[in-house]
Amino acid sequence: MSASEEELIGHSYTRARKHPLVIGKLPGAGRLPGGPYTITQVMTMVISFGLLIMTRDLWAHFGAMNFILMVLIPWGLAWVLRYARLDGRDPARAVRSLLIYSSTPAQGRLAGKPQRVARPRLATATCTVRVRSVERPAPAAAPAPASVARRATRPAPVPAAGRAEPRTGLQALLASLDEQ
């Protein structure tokens, strides 16, 4: 079989085949209640428990109910994150992708460094038109096309008396065409 006749094989792994890294058992303690938990859920429980401890002077006025709130709020947030999906990903990975996307340069990277595009500059150019008069023999009784006939009937501009009119290259070209 030649290189051009090789069979290409593609694999597609659906979301059902992607297994997230989970924490389901503790050594010696067995299975966690409500688990297994993803890393995002564990981090949510730890951070929310820490915030509740640091702010307990603001909210802890319920006596024994304070302990229940300190357990139920982090566990409830982790339970909600189990079912929350953004584009098929858990919220922590979606936020990470958003942060990476927002921190990359707009023009991309080239060899690992931000690519910078030079500011556009105004292009300047000069155009010079030189008119040479070439003596051509007059054509033999050929009828003039309508566009040439209209151009021939147009009156030539009359220069002001006493001074020569300056001519640009385009005006000189048009004048030579009118003379023919």
Side-chain angles (χ1 to χ4, degrees):
M1 191 180 271
S2 67
S4 64
E5 296 175 357
E6 282 186 31
E7 185 177 331
L8 298 176
I9 299 173
H11 297 279
S12 174
Y13 296 99
T14 63
R15 201 168 90 191
R17 292 184 177 225
K18 294 180 183 177
H19 299 290
L21 180 63
V22 294
I23 301 170
K25 294 183 179 179
L26 290 177
R31 185 178 161 101
L32 293 173
Y37 298 107
T38 63
I39 302 297
T40 305
Q41 290 175 302
V42 171
M43 292 304 297
T44 301
M45 285 192 276
V46 169
I47 290 171
S48 62
F49 185 77
L51 286 174
L52 287 172
I53 295 276
M54 290 183 343
T55 61
R56 70 176 168 247
D57 293 337
L58 296 173
W59 62 270
H61 305 292
F62 306 110
M65 189 69 148
N66 294 340
F67 177 74
I68 295 172
L69 288 175
M70 288 182 71
V71 172
L72 283 181
I73 290 176
W75 184 83
L77 288 173
W79 183 78
V80 167
L81 281 179
R82 173 179 287 180
Y83 299 104
R85 294 281 172 224
L86 299 171
D87 288 336
R89 299 179 286 181
D90 66 284
R93 290 177 191 250
V95 168
R96 178 180 173 263
S97 297
L98 183 64
L99 291 174
I100 290 172
Y101 175 73
S102 65
S103 67
T104 57
Q107 287 82 22
R109 294 186 182 274
L110 182 64
K113 296 178 184 174
Q115 183 176 358
R116 303 206 186 278
V117 177
R119 271 188 11 196
R121 295 183 191 155
L122 183 62
T124 58
T126 340
C127 178
T128 306
V129 177
R130 293 185 183 164
V131 178
R132 288 189 329 186
S133 64
V134 177
E135 293 297 326
R136 294 185 185 165
S147 62
V148 174
R150 260 190 264 129
R151 204 178 308 137
T153 59
R154 185 175 25 167
V158 179
R163 62 182 168 100
E165 181 180 340
R167 293 174 101 178
T168 63
L170 183 60
Q171 289 173 341
L173 180 63
L174 290 174
S176 70
L177 289 174
D178 284 340
E179 292 171 2
Q180 293 177 4

